[in-house]
Amino acid sequence: MTLAPSKIFSGFRALGFVSNHVPLVTRYHKRHKDNYVITCVGQAFHVYNVNKLGIVSVSDTHPEDINVMAADFRYVFTAAGNEIYRVARNKKIDKTYSGHKAEVTLLLPFGPHLISVDADGYMIVWDTKTEEQYMQIRFDPAAFSVTAIAHPHTYVNKMILGSQQGTLQLWNIRSNRLIYSFAGWNSPVTAIVQSTAVDVMAIGLADGQVILHNLAVDKTVVKFKQDYGPVTNISFRTDGHPMMVTGSASGHIALWDLENRKLHSYLEEAHFASVTGLVCLPSEPLMVTSAADNSLKVWIFDLADGGARLLRSREGHSAPPTFIRFYSNDGQNLLSAGQDSTIRSFSTVHDKHNKSLGRASYHKKASRRLGLKMDKYKMPAVVKFAAEPNRESDWDNIIACHRSQTVVTTWSYQRSTMGQHKLKHARFKTDVSEHAITATAVDISSCGNFAVIGYSSGHVDMYNLQSGLIRGSFGDPTAHDCTVRGVACDGLNQKLITGGADGLLCFWRFKAKTMLDKLQLEAYISQMQLHRDSSMLAVALDDFTIVIIDIDTRRRVREFSGHTSAISDMTFRADGRWLISASMDCTVRTWNIPTGRLVDAFLVRSAPTSVTMSPCDNFLSSTHVGDVGVYLWSNRTLYAHVSLGPLPNDYIPRMAELPGTAPMDTESVGVLEEEGEDSPYKSAEQIGDELVTLSLLPTSRWLNLLNLDVIQMRNKPKEPPKVPKSAPFFLPTVAGLETKFDLSQENKDATPESRVKKPELSALSDLAVLLTKAHQIGKYEIVLSKLKEMGPSAIDKEMRTLPEGEGGSDDVMCYFLEFVEAALKTNKDFELVHSYLALFLKVHGAEISSKPEIAGALSKVSSAQFESWERVWGLLQRSMGLVTYLRSATL
């Protein structure tokens, strides 16, 4: 059985993925009467409805990243590596087509068949039902490297193929015969699409040309050329407007007027990257596009000149995120800053709550006029930020420092936009070496009024967030003689802690801005993280160790070592008992602060750049190098018992796969654990023989045994239930000449017979048989187990059947007393055995006193009971005396 990589965290789902470089696929659902868009997100694909761009389903994870997708009216076909998969109901992989030895580059559903082309030039026609190969054709990549494939309408069993060499071929796949070759236009073919006219195909070339060519007569109808590089996609409007749309590698989209044979308009900067997917929906004025910039957009043709505008979109980070933090106390929103200079909010509940706070710009109005790509006012990426939910409705509540920038920007979460203030001290405006001074650390006070900024020059300034004005500086003239690596405000606005690159921690009075104390550490400081509720400050050093400082006593309380590379980020659990650290050695480690030991560690394939723990402790979120996603890891301690024993010093972390975009089944994670290691601790049945152990039965099973007769009398009905009189179906008559009815039975009172079965005189009751068997073998555990399964009424009934004549005998009663004596000597089920003994004495007390044999057995029980109770009474008296002394003594 394989081991779980982490005993605390298990992969849950990934956020922020929308699309990648694989072209999108569209489908129309006849019953729903809606179009659906399928986009690839690595090893899975998402299905969105075009109506609201809401995510409908997420497919199962593929073994490798998906290379290409295709779809018909029923199935979705995907290729990952050299394997082809058929996905049913947009979810489950039900068939696999194996036969290619190279990476599959093209797929085309063709009726009951599927056509696939790989990088080695093999084209295989598959029977989709039987998974068998119908036909195989080999093309020499040096002479004809297939780059595009399409089926011309009304051409039965015909396929047209485009090549890297620029030539085209028309094949009959049924007869496996080349019908015709087209010379081409001396440029590689990048796309082939059927136009709205029969026999006419639209062919896109790498030099930007779009050729409308008539296959029947091998004649070009019209040529277009776009100015922005190769043609990546072609589509035609089918809602009554003669218009062709083409995508380019630069992210622009061109609209062509087919009636007037000219360029209609450009959608400049429709995407940041090459337009990989472009489809005009059938019979609707809508167009769907996707690109490698992790975005999916829906455009509508409703402008006065017939042009298109953006209708709705879904976007994620177009570049890897670098810093994340949970926002608010409910743990449902996650702020993320990426290398694309944007700040986004991702929801852990549903993707419909995701939103973008915009892109950082020196001049927002000028940026809107210039566009996204030509924006010369774009600011560098955000490297760190601080957010405080308090006063979010009053003014900006997020501050961010940018790479190699002195200015610090403000943002508003509620308004989802960049704020109006740009915090920059006057000293930096006149400083000649301004380019060398950057903002390196930021923090916001818990009240949401003040922002504290640390700089590479050693300055630490405080600003008012409402007005954006300076409210003082710490130190004279600087707080440190080196770069400030971290600033942290306590929860009561009483202290400010700053850390310098030279390893010096400084404690300041927040209001007076005077120094309280200093603490010199052995190594240089790389970053800091404060847990305000517990006043614990985690300081990461350049020697890959972590030091925990108590800011109230200003003393070092813990030190953790184990990372072998630079620590990228740290985060505390909500109650401050755990510290989770991420390092560039690709490990995520969890440290137990009270014990000072490592309790969990796991490896990931790409180094984590930032981690943060949810305020509700339900999720750990992480970002990784070169990855645009934000990953959630569920905390298993909230729904399963997890042993948090310390790990050995030579523990080697195991590899944990990053979660996919679909939520993983967290209930089955515990099965992956190996028995004996990290298994839940099971308490012993009895800690010690000299200690008294109580049973785990509820009090209702034994506390009311002595009062059962009182409860039965109280619940007894006042009158017996009366059976209603009913006329018989056939009226009885008296024999004779005259017809007379027999009414004699009506005058008799119907007395119900008792349904309680009296025991036979010669047979023993069930409890008596069990006691006799236990006496013969000398083990009374089976008797106690049977009594534990019974309810109070059943126990009372069995107790009354022990005497002679009721289903038992005098020997049986002695056996019962032997059972009680044996149970008392084991010190187990203490209160349960005493309840059974009390009920036995109450029911049979008079009979026991008249029979010396039973009375002798009872004396042995009395001595055993006295010994056990005397020991318990001594322990109770000792405990009560100690409690009384601690309560009254003056310490």
Side-chain angles (χ1 to χ4, degrees), residues 28 63 71 136 185 286 391 736 828:
Y28 180 75
Q136 180 174 319
W185 296 268
L286 296 176
R391 313 304 294 269
K828 296 180 181 179

Side-chain angles (χ1 to χ4, degrees), residues 51-117:
N51 190 17
K52 296 182 179 179
L53 272 190
I55 188 166
V56 176
S57 64
V58 180
S59 73
D60 291 342
T61 303
H62 292 63
E64 300 179 41
D65 288 343
I66 298 175
N67 310 324
V68 63
M69 297 189 305
D72 58 11
F73 67 97
R74 180 175 297 178
Y75 302 107
V76 177
F77 298 95
T78 60
N82 57 356
E83 299 288 338
I84 303 174
Y85 304 94
R86 191 182 79 173
V87 183
R89 299 183 178 272
N90 299 326
K91 178 71 175 177
K92 185 177 178 58
I93 298 176
D94 63 346
K95 287 185 181 298
T96 303
Y97 306 94
S98 302
H100 286 284
K101 296 182 180 180
E103 181 179 320
V104 179
T105 57
L106 295 173
L107 288 177
L108 179 66
F110 188 62
H113 299 91
L114 175 68
I115 304 174
S116 61
V117 180

Side-chain angles (χ1 to χ4, degrees), residues 142 145 174 213 290 299 301 357 433 544 606 692 695 836 852 876:
S145 178
R174 184 173 184 179
H213 195 75
S290 68
W299 309 80
F301 298 93
L357 275 65
S433 60
F544 315 145
S606 56
V692 169
S695 69
Y836 297 157
L876 290 176

Side-chain angles (χ1 to χ4, degrees), residues 7 47 65 91 97 102 109 128-129 131 184 199 238 262 326 362 394 511 555 629 653 665 707 799 851:
K7 59 183 178 180
V47 181
D65 288 343
K91 178 71 175 177
Y97 306 94
T128 57
K129 291 184 178 180
E131 305 180 24
D199 298 329
T238 57
K262 66 177 183 178
F326 272 97
Y362 293 106
D394 298 328
K511 295 181 180 179
R555 295 177 57 187
D665 185 11
N707 302 323
M799 287 290 184
K851 296 182 178 180

Side-chain angles (χ1 to χ4, degrees), residues 572-795:
F572 282 94
R573 203 174 78 166
D575 59 359
R577 296 182 63 87
W578 294 350
L579 176 69
I580 299 106
S581 59
S583 172
M584 299 306 291
D585 59 4
C586 297
T587 62
V588 178
R589 297 175 182 264
T590 304
W591 312 88
N592 193 323
I593 296 179
T595 61
R597 298 297 301 273
L598 176 69
V599 294
D600 187 43
F602 63 92
L603 275 169
V604 288
R605 296 195 180 276
S606 56
T609 56
S610 183
V611 290
T612 179
M613 192 73 180
S614 168
C616 303
D617 291 337
N618 53 352
F619 292 120
L620 172 71
S621 182
S622 65
T623 58
H624 301 267
V625 173
D627 201 325
V628 298
V630 178
Y631 296 93
L632 294 179
W633 308 80
S634 61
N635 184 2
R636 294 182 54 215
T637 61
L638 298 182
Y639 55 84
H641 179 77
V642 177
S643 174
L644 295 180
L647 298 178
N649 296 329
D650 57 350
Y651 178 77
I652 300 176
R654 293 183 292 270
M655 182 66 66
E657 296 295 335
L658 295 177
T661 53
M664 298 178 64
D665 185 11
T666 55
E667 295 181 358
S668 61
V669 177
V671 181
L672 298 177
E673 292 187 344
E674 184 177 3
E675 295 181 3
E677 182 175 344
D678 296 340
S679 58
Y681 173 76
K682 293 183 179 180
S683 178
E685 214 178 304
Q686 190 174 20
I687 298 177
D689 296 339
E690 71 280 359
L691 299 178
V692 169
T693 305
L694 304 180
S695 69
L696 298 178
L697 292 180
T699 56
S700 59
R701 301 282 295 273
W702 55 269
L703 188 61
N704 296 323
L705 284 176
L706 298 178
N707 302 323
L708 195 61
D709 51 351
V710 178
I711 296 174
Q712 291 177 348
M713 288 296 297
R714 184 185 62 189
N715 297 337
K716 185 178 180 181
K718 296 180 179 179
E719 296 181 359
K722 295 182 179 180
V723 180
K725 295 182 178 181
S726 58
F729 186 78
F730 294 104
L731 296 178
T733 57
V734 179
L737 296 177
E738 297 181 0
T739 303
K740 294 182 181 181
F741 295 103
D742 187 6
L743 303 178
S744 60
Q745 299 296 331
E746 294 294 327
N747 299 327
K748 294 182 179 180
D749 295 333
T751 56
E753 297 182 358
S754 176
R755 296 184 180 181
V756 179
K757 296 182 179 179
K758 296 181 180 180
E760 299 179 5
L761 297 179
S762 59
L764 295 177
S765 63
D766 295 339
L767 182 59
V769 172
L770 203 61
L771 285 169
T772 305
K773 181 180 179 182
H775 172 73
Q776 293 173 355
I777 62 178
K779 295 182 179 180
Y780 290 94
E781 289 82 0
I782 55 176
V783 179
L784 185 60
S785 301
K786 183 65 176 179
L787 291 175
K788 282 183 177 181
E789 298 175 357
M790 297 180 181
S793 300
I795 294 174

